[in-house]
Amino acid sequence: MGNLKTCKLLVHNFKTLTGIAILSFVLVSCGYRFGEAPIPCQYATISVPYIINDSDGYLTQSVIRAISERQGPRYSQCTGDLILKVEIIDLCEENIGFRYDRNRKNKLTRTIIPTEGRAIAIVEVELIDALRSATILGPVRITETLDYDHDYYESRGGVNVLSLGQVTDYESARDAVQRPLYRCLANKIIEYVYESW
């Protein structure tokens, strides 16, 4: 009698697991993933017009790459079912780390100079159904920040001195952080778009 109950329980568990596996396969084949609500299957493609105020085109490139790396609607250059409009609202930086400067004899002075900065990018995102010309998501503002180091120190002749592990010139450091900042921002934009359904 005990063996019969065990057999029935095993068969029931097997049927349940098989049902879950089939349901999972059906959902995944349509682009659905557990833990998030993806873009519905009716939208097969997504277009990204050139991002407003993206002077070097790197944010546009990063957004397209982020779309290509995800499941769901594939990128289409100009005829997407969806149109992702993005505008760079603000790019700024703030100093978040400081140190006391040193004089020519390497003694501390009372002057404080910045040694660490934070780059901040703010964009406005809107997702549009191309067929109906209707806004589906947004407009919403998304912010991303990235911290970076720099050594704001000049030699007697005005030529910047290199420091191990740090970018010496403040402007060079700020320019160098822009690409990684845009990559992080692009991933955040696509995460918002793909998970807001």
Side-chain angles (χ1 to χ4, degrees), residues 94-99 112-117 149-153 170:
E94 60 185 13
N95 293 315
I96 59 171
F98 302 88
R99 69 171 171 82
I112 297 176
I113 59 173
T115 59
E116 187 177 3
D149 293 336
H150 57 86
D151 187 8
Y152 203 77
Y153 189 82
Y170 177 74

Side-chain angles (χ1 to χ4, degrees), residues 13-121:
N13 287 345
F14 178 75
K15 287 180 181 178
T16 303
L17 290 174
T18 303
I20 291 172
I22 291 171
L23 180 61
S24 298
F25 176 75
V26 169
L27 291 176
V28 169
S29 67
C30 193
Y32 288 94
R33 289 176 298 236
F34 294 106
E36 58 186 69
I39 295 174
C41 292
Q42 69 193 44
Y43 301 110
T45 56
I46 185 168
S47 296
V48 182
Y50 198 82
I51 292 174
I52 300 167
N53 300 323
D54 185 15
S55 58
D56 61 1
Y58 195 76
L59 182 57
T60 305
Q61 177 187 350
S62 298
V63 168
I64 292 169
R65 176 174 287 187
I67 289 170
S68 302
E69 292 174 349
R70 296 216 36 159
Q71 282 187 321
R74 68 185 187 285
Y75 172 72
S76 174
Q77 189 169 1
C78 58
T79 58
D81 301 326
L82 295 167
I83 299 170
L84 179 60
K85 287 179 63 178
V86 181
E87 179 180 358
I88 298 173
I89 302 298
D90 195 13
L91 279 175
C92 58
E93 61 276 328
E94 60 185 13
N95 293 315
I96 59 171
F98 302 88
R99 69 171 171 82
Y100 283 102
D101 197 9
R102 293 182 177 272
N103 62 19
R104 292 181 184 174
K105 296 180 181 178
N106 205 25
K107 294 197 176 191
L108 290 176
T109 67
R110 291 180 178 232
T111 308
I112 297 176
I113 59 173
T115 59
E116 187 177 3
R118 175 173 290 142
I120 305 163

Side-chain angles (χ1 to χ4, degrees), residues 148-193:
Y148 61 97
D149 293 336
H150 57 86
D151 187 8
Y152 203 77
Y153 189 82
E154 295 184 308
S155 68
R156 292 181 196 172
V159 178
N160 288 328
V161 179
L162 295 177
S163 172
L164 291 176
Q166 292 185 324
V167 178
T168 305
D169 184 26
Y170 177 74
E171 288 184 7
S172 297
R174 188 179 58 198
D175 291 343
V177 79
Q178 188 174 4
R179 286 183 177 239
L181 174 66
Y182 279 172
R183 282 194 297 269
C184 294
L185 181 58
N187 288 329
K188 202 169 189 179
I189 291 168
I190 297 309
E191 186 176 330
Y192 163 75
V193 168

